[in-house]
Amino acid sequence: MSLTGKHIIVGITGGIAAYKTATLVRLLVKSGAEVQVVMTPNAKEFICPVTLSTLSGKPVISEFFTANTGQWHSHVDLGLWADAMVIAPATASTIGKMANGIADNMLVTTYLSAKAPVFVAPAMDLDMMAHPSTTRNIALLRSYGNHIIEPAEGELASHLIGKGRMEEPENIVKVLDDFFKAGKPLAGKQVMVTAGPTYERIDPVRFIGNYSTGKMGYAIADEAARLGAKVVLISGPVAIKPTMPEVEVIEVESALEMYEQCQRHFGDSDIAIMSAAVADYAPAEVADKKIKREKEEIPQIRLVKNPDIAASLGKIKRPGQILVGFALETNDEEVNALDKLKRKNLDMIVMNSLRDAGAGFGTDTNKITLYSKDGQARKYPLKSKKETASDILDNIVGMVADKD
Ligand code: C5P
């Protein structure tokens, strides 16, 4: 759920619908959010603070100061702490104060200090709801960028029937959840990324390797995590770390180790992006002692073929799984890239050419063309690897949306 770990201020004002906020707080906490309740003094006439502090696990804040200790509650700190503020129920009076900056209680003061998105769930009698001052104040809140959770129609506390019922707590939670989900199109998806070089051991101190630094693959892993995916990054030896703490790194050394880890994690993955520069060959034997120079004859290293990891996954790919490969080329770029796309049963291939300055290994930039299975080619200008990762993932998100 997208509310996990989110800091939510629940602002409660003095209306009959305040009784529903016990459920609201309970549902938010169940969704993994941290909840801080701020009540207007009037709200306490409608629902008991003890209920709310128990359900939220935090003392309710209502006054600027705690009466017996004189402790000041900082509305500024609260405003900075929050990822979202939801005011439910919002009475006509509080909506009017919010619209006009009348900061005469802790709730409105916190609202004015809040940097986070604000959601307002009005609840009042139908005539108050329909009054031009309410309409104007709600329009003002909208103009400030606040989100209005429209009240429903139905029987009101006055027994009159009309618009003014506070939206049900389940739906308020859904509005918040959808809000945090937006911009996270890969939420609920697992993405497996390979990155870096592989080292193929010759003896205890030597290996066959390549110049890959892992920058492109790590940028892809970070971007996928930013888009909400669970990311497993299977990485050869590199000197960098992902910036997103959510990325799970599995360190490997050789192509064979990378192959084994990919086979292990591919089944659970919705998307696999193979950006590692895997060595094509490995020494047939690994000397257990350092090979010495003093010997007369020059040592010969017999090589054996490494498995093609991408192709092996292409063979076991299920319908719905997306497999993306890379092609680093020096010549005949398009022909080679399209050949790999087909041969390895990929859904998309990212081509970068060493003929383009600033593309390929080691640099902080890349210049790519994306070829997809359906024959489309998209050319991008020279960009940072971070921006390139975002372009690649934009295309993948589009493919996921087509499949879902
Ligand atoms: O055939 P080539 O090595 O140029 O193909 C590159 C693509 O295949 C990349 O996506 C790379 O990560 C992947 N690959 C692989 N296992 C190999 C060789 C390449 O997964 N042994």
Side-chain angles (χ1 to χ4, degrees), residues 183-249:
K184 302 233 175 275
L186 293 181
K189 302 283 178 202
Q190 178 160 319
V191 177
M192 181 177 91
V193 182
T194 67
T198 63
Y199 284 1
E200 311 302 325
R201 279 182 193 219
I202 298 170
D203 70 12
V205 295
R206 301 183 182 93
F207 60 85
I208 298 173
N210 60 64
Y211 291 120
S212 169
T213 54
K215 282 180 185 167
M216 192 65 249
Y218 275 62
I220 288 172
D222 279 333
E223 186 61 19
R226 221 167 272 128
L227 297 177
K230 173 179 185 324
V231 183
V232 178
L233 173 59
I234 301 168
S235 173
V238 295
I240 56 174
K241 292 205 175 332
T243 44
M244 295 292 284
E246 297 86 353
V247 174
E248 181 195 347
V249 184

Side-chain angles (χ1 to χ4, degrees), residues 17-37:
Y19 78 91
K20 293 186 187 173
T21 55
T23 308
L24 177 63
V25 170
R26 177 85 192 103
L27 290 175
L28 286 171
V29 170
K30 259 179 104 173
S31 309
E34 260 188 67
V35 176
Q36 174 62 63
V37 174

Side-chain angles (χ1 to χ4, degrees), residues 194 274-276 278-280 307-310 325-326 329 340 343-344:
T194 67
M274 316 303 286
S275 67
V278 185
D280 291 320
D308 186 324
I309 305 171
F326 270 70
E329 304 297 336
K340 284 171 196 174
R343 195 157 35 84
K344 302 187 188 214

Side-chain angles (χ1 to χ4, degrees), residues 276-320:
V278 185
D280 291 320
Y281 301 99
E285 293 96 28
V286 182
D288 56 359
K289 291 198 192 72
K290 185 178 170 189
I291 300 170
K292 294 281 189 242
R293 192 155 54 131
E294 288 77 41
K295 281 191 181 163
E296 270 301 295
E297 85 270 25
I298 297 171
Q300 305 287 312
I301 302 172
R302 197 168 63 85
L303 298 175
V304 290
K305 227 177 180 175
N306 272 331
D308 186 324
I309 305 171
S312 74
L313 301 181
K315 286 203 179 93
I316 57 171
K317 189 173 69 169
R318 296 188 306 267

